[in-house]
Amino acid sequence: MEDTPQIAQMQTYLFPFLASAIFLLLHLIVYRGLFYQLSNLKIIRNFLKLFTFLNFCGTVAYMFLRQFPLVPQWLYLLISISIGVVFSLFVSTIIYQFLNIFIHFITSKNKRTAYRNYLQRIVIVLSMIYIGYGIYNGESNPILKKISIPLANLSSPLKIVQLSDTHIGGLIEESRVKKMVELVNDQDPDLIVLTGDIVDTKLKNVLKAVDELKNLKATYGVYYVLGNHEYLHDIYNIIQKMKDLGFHVLINQNSLISKNGIPLINIAGNADLMGNRMGYLQPNIDKTFEGIQSNIPTILLSHQPKIIEKIKDKPVDIILSGHTHGGQIFPFSLAVLLQQPFLMGLHKIENDRFLYINQGTGFWGPPMRVGSHSEITLINLFPKP
């Protein structure tokens, strides 16, 4: 077993402090911008102060406990929800302050105060509905998303199941992984691909959950590539575990799949772009495609969709990615588009290639989703007429 690289340890320990400072700022904005003038009653003011303080404590606890399974699952659920609560209330605060601009044009002071109070109450109620729906949707089982893609030079149909961003650890534990595996096996796939962020904690914390993955069954096996979150933990142990489970681990490599001795399709996989930032296990696109057979289709497994910027001259027919979580919680999905070319789904890009982005089979942070769904993707490839 190898130790976590030092730079990953530094980032892991530094991140909670930086995140806590950001969460403190968000809570102050929510309290002053939305709660402060909600009521003159002392009991309500004190309740709002206590709520803000406790929610802030929850966010800090999550940041520091996410690496260590020290609390019961129900408590971990509550503190993880606190992150979604403050993000949602922050957005509500921005909306309230924007609408409040128009109230300033009302000439009567009494009417301004009354309208402001009505607006605050409406915004807070809508926020609670938004949070409730997000938790319900986030806790729901993954949907089975089915797509079909025609491929030139494909000799026979191929059924692929894609899992991505399961983020095993914390709330994604053994029973959840078992359900995912059962749903995948029900599809009787030819091939299973895992496109990164499968494990999101130290391996020793989630051995039982990860072991559930060994029950994945596919005719041509299971193929795995790294996501950015694996770099933040004991990445070499995670890689070795995937190999021990019998998976084909692709780190700047490609593999040929044959049917009855006849080449059927290439599967290529690169190390994640996070490797460039961390300084180890860096992506090498040339090496990824080295020696690949060009007369049959090629599928590239790459965690981040923006890899499309780096493979324009490479023989790729389909790119399968994850990473974005479909934005997970709207409107924060808009921020994802500042870094990635698309949020989710199937896209036809230049040179007649297809890019498919899985929305994530699990979630990160709060068990909430608005505007997205946890998904398992069933991809049917068929010969192009």
Side-chain angles (χ1 to χ4, degrees), residues 97-249:
Q97 290 295 335
F98 174 75
L99 296 176
N100 195 30
I101 294 173
F102 299 98
I103 294 177
H104 284 296
F105 293 102
I106 298 174
T107 54
S108 170
K109 182 179 179 180
N110 289 336
K111 285 186 176 180
R112 284 201 304 269
T113 302
Y115 287 150
R116 196 172 287 122
N117 286 338
Y118 287 140
L119 180 59
Q120 280 176 301
R121 288 172 172 83
I122 290 170
V123 167
I124 290 173
V125 168
L126 291 177
S127 297
M128 295 302 106
I129 294 172
Y130 176 92
I131 292 168
Y133 169 75
I135 295 171
Y136 169 79
N137 194 31
E139 284 284 288
S140 299
N141 290 329
I143 63 171
L144 182 66
K145 183 78 173 178
K146 299 179 181 180
I147 63 168
S148 296
I149 302 176
L151 280 187
N153 300 323
L154 183 66
S155 58
S156 62
L158 193 66
K159 187 191 297 184
I160 301 174
V161 171
Q162 180 189 11
L163 296 177
S164 191
D165 300 89
T166 54
H167 290 277
I168 295 174
L171 298 175
I172 308 296
E173 32 66 56
E174 187 178 354
S175 63
R176 283 180 180 262
V177 177
K178 187 175 182 179
K179 288 181 181 179
M180 295 174 190
V181 169
E182 289 173 351
L183 183 54
V184 170
N185 289 341
D186 285 345
Q187 311 313 311
D188 191 25
D190 297 312
L191 186 69
I192 297 171
V193 297
L194 310 178
T195 48
D197 282 5
I198 302 303
V199 181
D200 194 5
T201 185
K202 289 186 178 296
L203 183 63
K204 66 181 181 181
N205 297 339
V206 289
L207 277 173
K208 287 185 178 180
V210 174
D211 277 337
E212 285 293 330
L213 295 174
K214 70 184 177 185
N215 296 314
L216 289 169
K217 305 295 182 187
T219 305
Y220 302 111
V222 180
Y223 288 77
Y224 165 83
V225 292
L226 294 169
N228 59 305
H229 278 250
E230 278 96 346
Y231 283 81
L232 302 177
H233 309 292
D234 46 351
I235 186 169
Y236 294 107
N237 292 333
I238 292 171
I239 291 171
Q240 187 57 52
K241 181 63 176 179
M242 295 300 167
K243 291 179 179 179
D244 292 344
L245 293 176
F247 298 170
H248 303 273
V249 178

Side-chain angles (χ1 to χ4, degrees), residues 22 24 73 132 137 186 294 317 354:
I22 293 171
L24 176 60
Q73 196 75 353
N137 194 31
D186 285 345
S294 58
D317 296 273
F354 291 94

